[in-house]
């Protein structure tokens, strides 16, 4: 049996705690999608049509298990006023935290 060889990057340095921010983001976007679309299969299909994302991906977003990134977030914000406002609120909240 052959062992896997190669290089690895050691885990050193400063720990940055982004998990809380990521959870807040996922929860906020999920709430916005549920408010805008509801929890039906039609809601999933609508978000799929807006973004081009897969059904499983959209279900993760609505459940708050994962959050949309990049082009998907922009597409959601383009089609949903609630998502758009949520993104602005999240950006404003984090901008205020940087000023402290």
């Amino acid at each position: 049996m052959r062992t896997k060889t190669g290089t690895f990057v050691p885990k050193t340095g400063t720990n940055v705690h982004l998990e809380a921010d990521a959870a807040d983001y996922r929860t906020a976007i999920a709430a916005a999608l549920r408010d805008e679309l509801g929890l039906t299969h039609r809601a999933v299909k609508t978000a799929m049509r807006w973004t081009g994302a897969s059904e499983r991906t959209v279900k993760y977003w609505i459940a708050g298990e994962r959050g949309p990134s990049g082009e998907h977030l922009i597409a959601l914000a383009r089609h949903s006023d609630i998502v758009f406002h949520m993104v602005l609120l999240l950006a404003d909240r984090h901008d205020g935290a940087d000023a402290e």
Side-chain angles (χ1 to χ4, degrees), residues 16-55:
V16 179
H17 301 285
L18 297 176
E19 190 61 35
D21 290 341
D24 291 344
Y25 164 71
R26 291 189 310 259
T27 302
I29 297 301
L33 287 172
R34 288 191 301 265
D35 287 348
E36 179 83 24
L37 301 172
L39 292 171
T40 64
H41 189 67
R42 174 180 243 162
V44 174
K45 293 291 188 180
T46 299
M48 287 171 59
R49 190 174 57 250
W50 287 351
T51 62
S54 71
E55 181 176 358

Side-chain angles (χ1 to χ4, degrees), residues 4-5 26 28 36-37 48 58 60-61 63-64 70-71 75 94:
K4 185 175 180 180
T5 60
R26 291 189 310 259
E36 179 83 24
L37 301 172
M48 287 171 59
V58 173
Y60 281 137
W61 295 343
E71 293 176 17
H94 287 288

Side-chain angles (χ1 to χ4, degrees), residues 2-100:
R2 195 169 171 214
T3 61
K4 185 175 180 180
T5 60
T7 60
F8 67 94
V9 179
K11 186 175 180 181
T12 60
T14 305
N15 291 331
V16 179
H17 301 285
L18 297 176
E19 190 61 35
D21 290 341
D24 291 344
Y25 164 71
R26 291 189 310 259
T27 302
I29 297 301
L33 287 172
R34 288 191 301 265
D35 287 348
E36 179 83 24
L37 301 172
L39 292 171
T40 64
H41 189 67
R42 174 180 243 162
V44 174
K45 293 291 188 180
T46 299
M48 287 171 59
R49 190 174 57 250
W50 287 351
T51 62
S54 71
E55 181 176 358
R56 178 76 283 190
T57 298
V58 173
K59 286 181 178 181
Y60 281 137
W61 295 343
I62 291 174
E65 294 178 33
R66 297 184 182 150
S69 61
E71 293 176 17
H72 291 149
L73 181 60
I74 292 169
L76 288 171
R78 182 182 308 128
H79 291 282
S80 168
D81 289 341
I82 297 173
V83 171
F84 178 71
H85 289 290
M86 188 60 69
V87 170
L88 292 179
L89 286 171
L90 290 169
D92 187 47
R93 186 178 74 192
H94 287 288
D95 185 40
D98 292 340
E100 293 176 356

